[in-house]
Amino acid sequence: MTDKYIYELPMKVRDYECDLQGIVNNANYQHYLEHTRHEFLLSVGVSFAELHRQGVDPVVARISMAFKTPLRSGDEFLSKLYLKKEGIKYVFYQDIFRKSDGRVAVKSVVETVCVVGGRLSGSELFDKLFEPYFS
């Protein structure tokens, strides 16, 4: 594990998130990752919904996920992240770890950009908020 993680969110797999094989369906990992980003924003004082009302929409531009160890119903896990800035992109490095043994379930890179007033734009707000966290 790296010491670069700046935020972590504990979660637990729910029965309905699993497929016929008894493992978390791949699409649900995107929900876990998104929930983690939204909770991270709240932890630094920003409401995703309030941003939208102000005409600022952070959106995912690209996501890459590598599935390592499957999670199963009832598994507790930690969703962790750290971020970097690349041009106008905010790149979230998000990894999910099974709590019982610390094994990596998913490694992901999520590239986000801001749409302000309907146009792709940089975000002074995010630059200021995230500056202490850029690695």
Side-chain angles (χ1 to χ4, degrees), residues 30-93:
Q30 287 194 51
H31 292 269
Y32 299 156
L33 298 173
E34 181 174 34
H35 183 61
T36 303
R37 289 190 308 278
H38 287 204
E39 290 294 314
F40 168 67
L41 284 176
L42 285 172
S43 79
V44 296
V46 176
S47 161
F48 194 81
E50 183 57 33
L51 285 173
H52 175 72
R53 285 190 282 280
Q54 295 172 12
V56 178
D57 292 301
V59 296
V60 172
R62 176 176 294 143
I63 186 167
S64 170
M65 298 170 65
F67 302 96
K68 302 293 188 178
T69 302
L71 294 175
R72 299 181 183 282
S73 181
D75 279 349
E76 294 181 354
F77 61 94
L78 291 173
S79 181
K80 299 183 179 188
L81 66 76
Y82 64 95
L83 71 138
K84 295 182 179 182
K85 178 132 196 279
E86 296 177 5
I88 64 169
K89 294 186 295 189
Y90 302 94
V91 182
F92 290 85
Y93 294 84

Side-chain angles (χ1 to χ4, degrees), residues 64-69 94-95 104-109:
S64 170
M65 298 170 65
F67 302 96
K68 302 293 188 178
T69 302
Q94 294 186 249
D95 301 324
V104 176
V106 169
K107 294 189 74 56
S108 69
V109 179

Side-chain angles (χ1 to χ4, degrees), residues 105-120:
V106 169
K107 294 189 74 56
S108 69
V109 179
V110 182
E111 297 179 7
T112 65
V113 294
C114 284
V115 176
V116 180
R119 302 182 70 145
L120 185 62

